Amino acid sequence: MASPHAARVLVASNRGPVSYTLRDDGELTSKRGGGGLVSGLSAVEGDAHSLWVCAALGDGDRAAVRRGVSADGVRMLDIDPGVHADAYNGIANSVLWFVHHMLYQTPLEPVFDAEFRRKWDAFRTYNEAFAQALAAEAAEGAAVLVQDYHLALVPGMLRELRPDLRIAHFSHTPWAPVEYFRLLPDDIGEELLRGILGADRAGFLTQRWADAFVACCTAVVGGTGQTAIAVHGLGADADFLRKRSHEPDVDERMAELRERIGGGSGEGGGERRRTIVRVDRTELSKNIVRGLLAYRELLDTRPEWRGRVVHMAFAYPSRQDLAVYRDYMDEVRRVADEINSRYATAEWTPVVLYLKDDFARSLGAYRLADVALVNPIRDGMNLVAKEVPVVTDHGCALVLSREAGAYEELGRDAITVNPYDVSATAAALHEALTMPQDERARRTERLAAAATALPPQKWFLDQLDALGPAG
């Protein structure tokens, strides 16, 4: 039965557009999130008939739910913290993420035992909570856009509850090839696929990931049935980025970064130091350590760059409640420190490492970048590869992993690398640093055009339109 205030357009995701913090005095403060999904939903935001269903992720969010505090158009679900932890960290981030990014060290992992099955039950319960909420809130024939691997079971569950709904599922990650997907227990793999196939449409960021999903469905459940498979390559929001990157706080960060870089201005003040910039969350898939090793090899084998280039590495914390991510962050620090110990002088710091998230500083680095290094082991898209060409002040050479989803659209004008090949990445950095300015400018122009072809609002509306009118 639909709610008396039923929504015609619903979005479901683990993380919502707003989060709450519980202060020491018991008061709640709220903060609006960012990212492509938030930007995309703004296309229908303000419509009284749209609703975003998400999980309460912390004590502040749960307190807000229990006090009846809510942002307009948002419904947070106060799911049992233990259930959420098992579903989110135990399954979504420690199993599904590892499968789709092909990150397992298979001699030792994964181990699918009784403990895994217990956590899988929590994952199922977590998905059921979303399905129940969506079923209760949706108008007759409403459009429901379910987001990502955390909620892979929701479409099938929701289809059982509300067969009248128009349902889409979108995967923001890569999709594993058949042979890797089948690391999962047979019944679990089938349950995942059938969950997504409960949707009218299953969307992916690139054709490669869509083809992998179809191959898994063909091998495991005999095909995709009535579910349409679609590709929607989320792009950068050019208008927002260009405006935001020229606000005063970004100018302030740029001045600070220039001071850290050091060297001359390039205008009568000595040679300007070049910059290699990377901006990532410290996720295992981002390949930050090999990027640092490639930079070290550049300095080892091309001594002419010593003192003339700085690698600005922005490695923002991610999933620090998981030990493997804390260990990875430690290794990033260790390698950066080792490079600086080996090569730094009183006038030059080879690696400038930032570990605290600061969007204005990231935008300042985008504007200053001579080279953008985007070398993930595997990535659904990677919006950094798309954002830098849009924001750069003087053109930027892009060194891009062929395993990033963005490669499908940007590969022609990037310098492509195998993310595992440190020596080839070092050579690519040299090529990027020595690229003639006119070629750099031409490539940047084409990269920016490709990167902004499907901005977030159009990306969202295209999927909504593809679901068709209510029946």
Side-chain angles (χ1 to χ4, degrees):
M1 181 68 68
S3 162
H5 305 292
R8 292 198 294 259
V9 177
L10 301 93
V11 171
S13 63
N14 176 70
R15 183 178 298 278
V18 64
S19 61
Y20 295 90
T21 300
L22 189 60
R23 299 190 328 208
D24 291 342
D25 63 4
E27 292 297 310
L28 286 168
T29 58
S30 64
K31 179 182 178 183
R32 188 76 178 174
L37 187 58
V38 173
S39 298
L41 188 63
S42 67
V44 295
E45 200 167 26
D47 181 342
H49 300 290
S50 67
L51 181 69
W52 192 320
V53 178
C54 57
L57 298 183
D59 292 340
D61 288 354
R62 294 188 183 95
V65 174
R66 291 164 189 171
R67 296 178 189 182
V69 175
S70 178
D72 289 343
V74 177
R75 178 178 170 185
M76 277 189 177
L77 305 180
D78 186 6
I79 297 168
D80 177 84
V83 169
H84 186 272
D86 284 339
Y88 182 71
N89 280 332
I91 297 295
N93 289 341
S94 295
V95 176
L96 301 184
W97 179 271
F98 275 67
V99 168
H100 289 315
H101 290 83
M102 300 170 63
L103 290 174
Y104 279 123
Q105 299 180 55
T106 51
L108 298 174
E109 55 187 13
V111 176
F112 297 125
D113 55 9
E115 177 64 7
F116 162 77
R117 294 281 174 173
R118 186 191 67 76
K119 291 177 180 176
W120 184 260
D121 286 343
F123 183 74
R124 192 181 289 122
T125 299
Y126 165 77
N127 276 252
E128 285 172 347
F130 273 85
Q132 293 283 353
L134 292 165
E137 298 285 358
E140 186 76 18
V144 182
L145 290 89
V146 181
Q147 305 298 314
D148 228 354
Y149 59 103
H150 314 89
L151 302 180
L153 304 183
V154 167
M157 293 173 171
L158 186 56
R159 178 67 65 208
E160 290 289 323
L161 295 168
R162 293 286 304 274
D164 60 293
L165 299 178
R166 296 167 294 139
I167 305 170
H169 183 275
F170 195 87
S171 294
H172 294 264
T173 63
W175 194 272
V178 174
E179 59 274 16
Y180 210 90
F181 183 81
R182 298 195 87 164
L183 289 176
L184 290 168
D186 292 351
D187 60 318
I188 299 299
E190 180 174 348
E191 187 176 353
L192 270 174
L193 294 174
R194 293 197 185 280
I196 292 176
L197 293 175
D200 297 286
R201 292 173 58 82
F204 299 87
L205 287 165
T206 73
Q207 191 63 50
R208 180 181 178 185
W209 312 141
D211 290 346
F213 176 77
V214 171
C216 287
C217 290
T218 301
V220 176
V221 298
T224 56
Q226 300 301 307
T227 303
I229 308 302
V231 174
H232 300 275
L234 176 63
D237 188 340
D239 292 341
F240 165 75
L241 287 168
R242 287 175 177 142
K243 179 177 182 295
R244 180 70 183 87
S245 65
H246 286 85
E247 291 181 1
D249 61 336
V250 176
D251 292 333
E252 291 171 11
R253 301 301 194 282
M254 286 180 70
E256 295 166 4
L257 291 171
R258 285 193 183 98
E259 187 173 346
R260 291 292 303 272
I261 294 164
S265 66
E267 300 173 358
E271 183 186 20
R272 180 181 66 84
R273 282 190 179 132
R274 303 295 180 87
T275 55
I276 299 169
V277 170
R278 75 173 307 133
V279 178
D280 290 298
R281 297 217 165 270
T282 311
E283 294 169 354
L284 307 182
S285 58
K286 298 299 185 183
N287 209 24
I288 300 170
V289 170
R290 287 193 189 88
L292 289 166
L293 295 175
Y295 178 63
R296 183 180 71 184
E297 186 161 324
L298 173 74
L299 299 179
D300 286 344
T301 60
R302 299 278 186 174
E304 67 269 26
W305 285 115
R306 297 174 195 170
R308 296 176 55 219
V309 64
V310 171
H311 184 16
M312 289 193 289
F314 298 75
Y316 298 144
S318 177
R319 301 174 186 167
Q320 291 297 291
D321 45 354
L322 295 176
V324 66
Y325 284 84
R326 295 194 297 273
D327 293 344
Y328 190 72
M329 177 74 89
D330 289 342
E331 183 65 5
V332 168
R333 288 193 193 93
R334 188 195 68 77
V335 176
D337 289 345
E338 189 271 332
I339 294 169
N340 285 335
S341 295
R342 183 184 299 195
Y343 285 117
T345 67
E347 296 79 29
W348 172 57
T349 303
V351 178
V352 175
L353 181 65
Y354 288 96
L355 302 177
K356 184 178 179 182
D357 198 345
D358 185 328
F359 185 54
R361 189 170 58 205
S362 298
L363 289 174
Y366 287 177
R367 288 180 57 188
L368 291 170
D370 295 293
V371 177
L373 176 58
V374 181
N375 68 320
I377 294 169
R378 195 167 164 86
D379 216 337
M381 176 56 72
N382 196 296
L383 282 178
V384 171
K386 293 187 168 186
E387 290 169 351
V388 178
V390 173
V391 172
T392 178
D393 280 356
H394 51 263
C396 180
L398 175 62
V399 176
L400 180 64
S401 166
R402 67 191 185 197
E403 299 302 317
Y407 171 75
E408 194 166 293
E409 298 163 85
L410 307 183
R412 185 171 67 92
D413 289 297
I415 300 170
T416 304
V417 294
N418 170 349
Y420 298 95
D421 191 337
V422 168
S423 295
T425 304
L429 291 174
H430 176 73
E431 179 184 349
L433 288 165
T434 56
M435 184 181 291
Q437 183 57 40
D438 57 346
E439 181 182 355
R440 183 190 305 264
R442 286 194 299 271
R443 289 197 190 203
T444 300
E445 185 176 357
R446 292 193 296 265
L447 286 166
T452 56
L454 195 65
Q457 288 198 8
K458 188 174 190 309
W459 170 84
F460 181 86
L461 290 174
D462 280 1
Q463 293 173 74
L464 191 58
D465 291 345
L467 277 173

